[in-house]
């Protein structure tokens, strides 16, 4: 982080603005909106830009340059002069008086920079690109403008008005937080947005009484078993994101893509229960017990799973324990690795000319030995997606050949599918194992077997030359 974002109280304080143009006028306006007294220094001011500001009694206009004495007791200073020299002088004076200064379009002279603002007072959202791209910050601001209803300010005011009452009636901070989350997201918020504060107050009373009862009788937690896809955070579902934002504690493992954990509520406790092959950090049994225990403590427990929880995710085992213990839970499906990898590698899993069915199997049998029904795997017009198969790839291919597979049958291995560093290696049953070793493919990797793999050359027309890399559809697809 290059700058520390803070909100500065300038009400009833003096803010210095130097300059008479559009930018100076914007600074005057925002300082007045924040309750400051503004001392404006400018030989002349732009009539249009200042038209609505000049009659404000809190604005004092001096037709001269500021002097060191003007900065005494000022809270902030803004410079937006035409000449660099003038700006620099003002910045020097401000700094000598220990007043933080901002100089428009001259980052090297600034103590602080101005964010793009979404004003839903008392809610204020400030966006900054740390000076790297103010236009991008403005675009983000525009998006936020459309996401936050104009009445958000009203809701914040409503919450502010009842804050003391809620504090007095709900003693447990955890309980209070849940209460706030419930009312700020639910029907009560809708009532406030629509201006029906009377009905909102009736509902508030009901909610408060219910929350008091919960405080007396204790609350039961719940578990969210959430699939978050193979890696790209954009593949999360809305439901997954909503529950991630609600959790009190999160249990996660290694299969999660970068950036996904950042989307979990910041205050949630994070517990790593990662499992590596042959190195079971936390045994499955223990994870299930932990889910039960945390939920019994009244927590909202988020169990994040790579891909889909019910596809080779042992989700079934985890909720079995929950059901036995009568713990409420929700299961949220995710994009499973086979379909994520297929889509991002340009390989349709089914296709009228190639495959009428698709089999999801794992090559990781009991004790690491491949334990599959070979007749089923070798059925024609079918695609086979193999999970957890990287280590056993040579054995798997050998067994396929021994059971009569065509040595020329195409195979793709997708490494770190859907992630920024995804790589795809293609070959045949006969040579894929060697190619994978040569390319030093790492886990996680998905093996896709079938003639659909040949479609990649046709569909992924954007693929670069052999061995090259190119940005396509916003991500790298390396072809080996
Ligand atoms: N529940 C998960 C699968 C867990 S099993 C799902 O539905 O996707 C773990 C296996 O999934 C890995 O060994 C690998 O074969 C596959 N896998 C998971 N994420 C992957 C990714 N980003 N790229 C390629 N394969 C992946």
């Amino acid at each position: 982080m290059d700058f520390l974002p803070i909100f500065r109280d300038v009400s009833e304080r003096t803010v210095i603005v130097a300059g008479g143009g559009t930018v100076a006028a914007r600074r005057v306006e925002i300082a007045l909106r924040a309750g400051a007294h503004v001392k404006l220094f400018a030989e002349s001011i732009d009539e249009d830009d200042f038209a609505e500001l000049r009659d404000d009694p809190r604005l004092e206009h001096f037709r001269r340059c500021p002097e060191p004495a003007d900065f005494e007791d000022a809270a902030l200073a803004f410079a937006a002069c035409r000449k660099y020299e003038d700006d620099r002088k003002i910045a020097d004076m401000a700094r000598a008086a220990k007043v933080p200064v901002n100089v428009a379009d001259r980052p090297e002279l600034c103590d602080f920079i101005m964010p793009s603002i979404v004003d839903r007072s008392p809610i204020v959202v400030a966006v900054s690109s740390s000076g790297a791209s103010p236009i991008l910050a403005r675009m983000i601001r525009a998006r936020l403008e459309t996401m936050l209803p104009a009445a958000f300010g009203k809701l914040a005011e409503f919450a502010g008005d009842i804050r003391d009452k809620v504090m007095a009636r709900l003693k447990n901070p955890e309980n209070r937080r849940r209460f706030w989350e419930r009312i700020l997201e639910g029907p009560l918020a809708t009532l406030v947005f629509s201006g029906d504060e009377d009905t909102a107050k009736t509902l508030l009373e009901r909610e408060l009484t219910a929350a008091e009862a919960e405080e007396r009788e204790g609350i039961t937690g719940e578990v969210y078993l959430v699939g978050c896809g193979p890696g790209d955070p954009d593949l999360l579902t809305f439901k997954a994101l909503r529950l991630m934002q609600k959790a009190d504690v999160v249990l996660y493992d290694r299969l999660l893509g970068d950036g996904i954990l950042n989307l979990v509520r910041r205050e949630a406790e994070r517990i790593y229960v990662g499992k590596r092959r042959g190195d079971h950090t936390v045994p499955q049994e223990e994870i299930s017990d932990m889910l039960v225990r945390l939920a019994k403590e009244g927590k909202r427990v988020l169990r994040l799973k790579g891909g889909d929880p019910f596809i080779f995710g042992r989700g079934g085992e985890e909720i079995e324990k929950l059901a036995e213990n009568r713990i409420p839970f929700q299961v949220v499906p995710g994009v499973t690795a086979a379909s994520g990898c297929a889509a991002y590698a340009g390989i349709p899993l089914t296709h009228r000319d190639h495959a009428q069915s698709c089999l999801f199997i794992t090559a990781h049998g009991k004790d690491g030995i491949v334990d599959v029904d070979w007749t089923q795997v070798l059925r024609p017009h079918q695609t086979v997606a193999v999970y957890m198969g990287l280590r056993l790839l040579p054995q798997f291919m050998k067994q396929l050949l021994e059971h009569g597979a065509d040595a020329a049958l195409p195979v793709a291995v997708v490494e770190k599918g859907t992630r920024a560093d995804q790589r795809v290696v293609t070959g045949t049953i006969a040579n894929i194992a060697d190619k994978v070793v040569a390319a030093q493919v790492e886990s996680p990797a998905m093996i896709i077997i079938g003639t659909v793999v040949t479609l990649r050359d046709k569909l992924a027309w954007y693929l670069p030359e052999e061995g090259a890399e190119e940005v396509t559809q916003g991500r790298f697809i390396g072809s080996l």
Side-chain angles (χ1 to χ4, degrees):
M1 213 194 282
D2 295 331
F3 290 86
L4 174 72
I6 54 169
F7 288 85
R8 176 94 160 98
D9 181 5
V10 293
S11 61
E12 307 299 328
R13 305 270 320 262
T14 300
V15 168
I16 307 275
V17 179
T22 314
V23 179
R26 282 210 303 267
R27 301 294 191 244
V28 169
E29 200 237 318
I30 197 115
L32 289 173
R33 240 159 70 191
H37 290 283
V38 177
K39 285 186 178 169
L40 173 67
F41 294 88
E43 303 275 328
S44 63
I45 55 172
D46 186 296
E47 293 295 325
D48 288 342
D49 287 326
F50 282 86
E52 300 198 351
L53 303 168
R54 56 190 320 164
D55 295 333
D56 194 308
R58 290 170 304 147
L59 174 63
E60 243 184 302
H61 181 192
F62 302 86
R63 292 184 185 277
R64 60 169 173 85
C65 285
E67 286 159 14
D70 294 317
F71 288 83
E72 248 169 54
D73 296 330
L76 295 175
F78 291 101
C81 305
R82 235 163 264 129
K83 287 194 218 131
Y84 182 87
E85 258 322 292
D86 294 341
D87 273 343
R88 201 185 48 78
K89 259 190 239 159
I90 288 155
D92 287 348
M93 276 189 271
R95 221 159 275 143
K98 301 217 171 3
V99 175
V101 62
N102 169 275
V103 184
D105 291 329
R106 308 203 205 279
E108 70 283 7
L109 296 180
C110 286
D111 291 326
F112 66 95
I113 54 175
M114 288 298 284
S116 291
I117 291 168
V118 184
D119 189 358
R120 299 283 186 274
S121 285
I123 298 289
V124 177
V125 184
V127 182
S128 160
S129 66
S130 307
S133 174
I135 306 267
L136 184 60
R138 245 174 278 154
M139 280 161 59
I140 294 170
R141 187 200 68 126
R143 266 200 221 178
L144 292 171
E145 285 279 3
T146 60
M147 279 167 57
L148 304 178
F152 237 71
K154 258 203 244 170
L155 182 62
E157 267 170 22
F158 182 87
D161 290 345
I162 61 171
R163 203 162 165 227
D164 289 344
K165 179 156 138 185
V166 174
M167 286 283 251
R169 287 178 58 177
L170 304 178
K171 302 289 180 223
N172 176 334
E174 185 71 4
N175 198 26
R176 223 159 35 218
R177 182 172 62 72
R178 279 165 200 254
F179 168 81
W180 282 120
E181 282 174 3
R182 206 161 47 230
I183 67 157
L184 294 175
E185 275 179 358
L188 195 143
T190 317
L191 286 169
V192 176
F193 286 152
S194 65
D196 187 355
E197 296 217 358
D198 288 341
T199 319
K201 280 186 183 137
T202 317
L203 189 58
L204 169 73
E205 195 47 47
R206 218 183 305 155
E207 290 279 6
L208 264 174
T209 313
E212 280 173 324
E214 266 187 1
E215 198 160 276
R216 277 193 310 273
E217 290 148 27
I219 32 173
T220 32
E222 51 185 337
V223 175
Y224 314 132
L225 184 60
V226 173
C228 36
D232 182 352
D234 275 0
L235 294 177
L236 283 174
T237 58
F238 286 122
K239 190 165 182 182
L241 194 61
R242 201 166 62 239
L243 297 179
M244 284 160 80
Q245 291 288 320
K246 262 174 94 166
D248 300 312
V249 49
V250 50
L251 276 68
Y252 67 101
D253 52 46
R254 177 181 64 93
L255 259 190
L256 291 188
D258 289 346
I260 288 188
L261 211 54
N262 287 343
L263 299 171
V264 175
R265 197 167 72 90
R266 198 202 283 246
E267 295 75 19
E269 183 190 347
R270 284 153 165 74
I271 302 178
Y272 179 73
V273 292
K275 281 179 290 184
R276 280 162 220 278
R277 197 172 22 77
D279 161 31
H280 289 240
T281 321
V282 181
Q284 187 61 49
E285 183 79 359
E286 225 170 278
I287 297 179
S288 306
D289 288 345
M290 216 188 278
L291 293 176
V292 170
R293 180 173 52 76
L294 290 165
K296 281 192 171 163
E297 285 171 14
K299 300 214 166 90
R300 286 181 294 207
V301 189
L302 172 70
R303 172 67 174 121
L304 278 186
K305 290 282 201 178
D308 182 285
F310 279 3
I311 298 181
F312 304 120
R314 305 187 73 169
E317 294 163 51
E318 292 185 7
I319 57 171
E320 216 170 283
K321 269 266 168 69
L322 299 174
E324 272 168 28
N325 284 275
R326 296 271 176 273
I327 307 251
F329 61 82
Q330 299 186 45
V331 181
V332 182
V335 173
T336 191
S339 68
C341 292
Y344 280 54
I347 303 170
L349 290 175
T350 66
H351 187 288
R352 278 204 299 185
D353 301 335
H354 293 265
Q356 275 71 47
S357 63
C358 177
L359 189 65
F360 288 2
I361 60 164
T362 173
H364 190 73
K366 281 200 186 98
D367 306 321
I369 298 155
V370 184
D371 175 22
V372 288
D373 177 349
W374 297 104
T375 332
Q376 187 194 31
V377 171
L378 285 168
R379 266 205 308 246
H381 310 296
Q382 168 177 266
T383 305
V384 182
V386 188
Y387 288 73
M388 294 176 272
L390 184 62
R391 195 174 54 98
L392 298 165
L393 184 69
Q395 264 169 284
F396 197 86
M397 294 300 127
K398 195 163 150 262
Q399 297 247 29
L400 278 175
L401 287 173
E402 282 170 15
H403 287 86
D406 175 0
L409 191 64
V411 181
V413 175
V414 185
E415 177 195 51
K416 302 189 182 122
T418 79
R419 302 183 190 180
D421 49 355
Q422 164 178 309
R423 293 194 302 162
V424 183
V425 181
T426 52
T428 60
I429 291 199
N431 66 16
I432 191 72
D434 289 341
K435 283 186 153 193
V436 158
V437 171
Q440 298 183 329
V441 172
E442 286 175 10
S443 205
M446 172 63 52
I447 303 165
I448 302 174
I449 308 168
T451 56
V452 286
V453 169
T454 58
L455 291 166
R456 173 175 157 82
D457 293 336
K458 194 154 112 194
L459 297 178
W461 53 268
Y462 47 78
L463 282 179
E465 298 290 308
E466 285 273 300
E469 279 188 341
E470 193 176 278
V471 180
T472 32
Q473 296 183 343
R475 60 189 49 258
F476 277 99
I477 299 188
S479 175
L480 287 159

